[in-house]
Amino acid sequence: KSYHVMELFRCPPEVLKLPVEERKKFAKTLVKSAGPEGFAPDANAFKSPVNFLEEWSVAVVLGLCMGGPYILIISSIFLLCTASLTTNLVFYLIVALLMNHPLPKKGWLTKLEGIHEWAATIWLYKYFSYRIVWADDIFEEAERCQPWIGCGGPHGVMPFGNVLSIPALNQFTGLKFIGAAADAAFTGPGIRYMMTLGVTDVSGPSMVRAVREGFSVGMVIDGVAGIF
């Protein structure tokens, strides 16, 4: 009967410092609604304005996170062909460190404390023109019936919409929301730092524990198969 879209890229960074109830109130000013007829064609297809610093900061960080494994693979091939044994050993020690050094945790949850208050999350919303879209009162119902396990897809190379839902739902709703990822994501050089948004592993026991402790959990249902 009704359709709604919340344009998170319009949120000023200073709002993230407010108490959650104040943020929820402000989030309502970011919502556009339409009746049963829905929105006009392309009404929500425009790109968010983003300045040079915001755009390139996001591009560089995502380039390092997503490109980390590829950079290391290419580097390893180059060093095997051109460098000494000692240089190669040092390189692989650095790779092992990047794969295994401790990530920040909050109890059992991989999360960097305070990351959801960073202005950089708004830059991400701008870069991707990020919106939350829903129908009728589904958004409110998600708050009323928590905790729950939600599934999205497809995975693609990286499900950025799903990843961004972790900070977004914590910032602008009453949800305690985390993501769930495959074990490989916690060891991949570069990409593992994205887990600090608040992610647990996708195993059954870990997700059950999260729900029992009051967290709603989001996962990408097609996993690795959805990448190809």
Side-chain angles (χ1 to χ4, degrees):
K1 296 180 179 179
S2 61
Y3 300 90
H4 315 276
V5 55
M6 183 186 295
E7 298 175 334
L8 295 183
F9 54 81
R10 292 198 288 117
C11 179
E14 55 268 22
V15 170
L16 302 183
K17 301 295 184 181
L18 298 174
V20 64
E21 290 302 320
E22 293 299 314
R23 278 182 266 137
K24 288 172 64 176
K25 290 178 183 178
F26 184 85
K28 293 179 180 179
T29 69
L30 305 176
V31 176
K32 299 189 303 184
S33 299
E37 73 283 357
F39 292 98
D42 297 329
N44 299 303
F46 63 90
K47 293 182 179 180
S48 164
V50 56
N51 65 39
F52 180 85
L53 174 62
E54 295 166 343
E55 182 174 15
W56 280 96
S57 295
V58 171
V60 169
V61 170
L62 290 182
L64 291 173
C65 287
M66 296 294 296
Y70 301 101
I71 294 170
L72 293 176
I73 290 171
I74 294 170
S75 299
S76 68
I77 295 172
F78 176 78
L79 291 174
L80 283 171
C81 296
T82 63
S84 66
L85 176 61
T86 301
T87 300
N88 276 277
L89 288 175
V90 171
F91 173 78
Y92 286 110
L93 283 173
I94 293 172
V95 172
L97 177 64
L98 291 173
M99 293 177 64
N100 295 289
H101 73 79
L103 292 173
K105 284 186 174 289
K106 189 175 181 181
W108 50 266
L109 178 65
T110 301
K111 183 182 179 183
L112 179 60
E113 188 66 35
I115 193 171
H116 295 162
E117 298 177 4
W118 289 11
T121 57
I122 303 297
W123 297 2
L124 284 163
Y125 302 153
K126 289 183 175 183
Y127 186 87
F128 289 103
S129 301
Y130 191 63
R131 302 166 170 88
I132 297 177
V133 182
W134 72 99
D136 300 325
D137 64 346
I138 293 176
F139 202 83
E140 293 77 9
E141 182 63 23
E143 290 191 46
R144 287 194 295 268
C145 71
Q146 64 176 314
W148 39 259
I149 295 175
C151 302
H155 191 290
V157 175
M158 173 58 69
F160 285 112
N162 303 63
V163 172
L164 292 182
S165 71
I166 301 171
L169 293 178
N170 282 281
Q171 289 165 339
F172 300 106
T173 75
L175 290 170
K176 291 173 58 181
F177 183 75
I178 62 174
D183 289 339
F186 293 89
T187 56
I191 195 171
R192 65 196 303 254
Y193 299 121
M194 298 178 73
M195 304 302 104
T196 61
L197 286 169
V199 179
T200 187
D201 69 89
V202 78
S203 68
S206 293
M207 296 177 72
V208 168
R209 175 178 58 186
V211 170
R212 284 177 175 169
E213 294 193 17
F215 289 94
S216 295
V217 186
M219 62 179 290
V220 183
I221 195 168
D222 54 355
V224 175
I227 299 176
F228 303 101

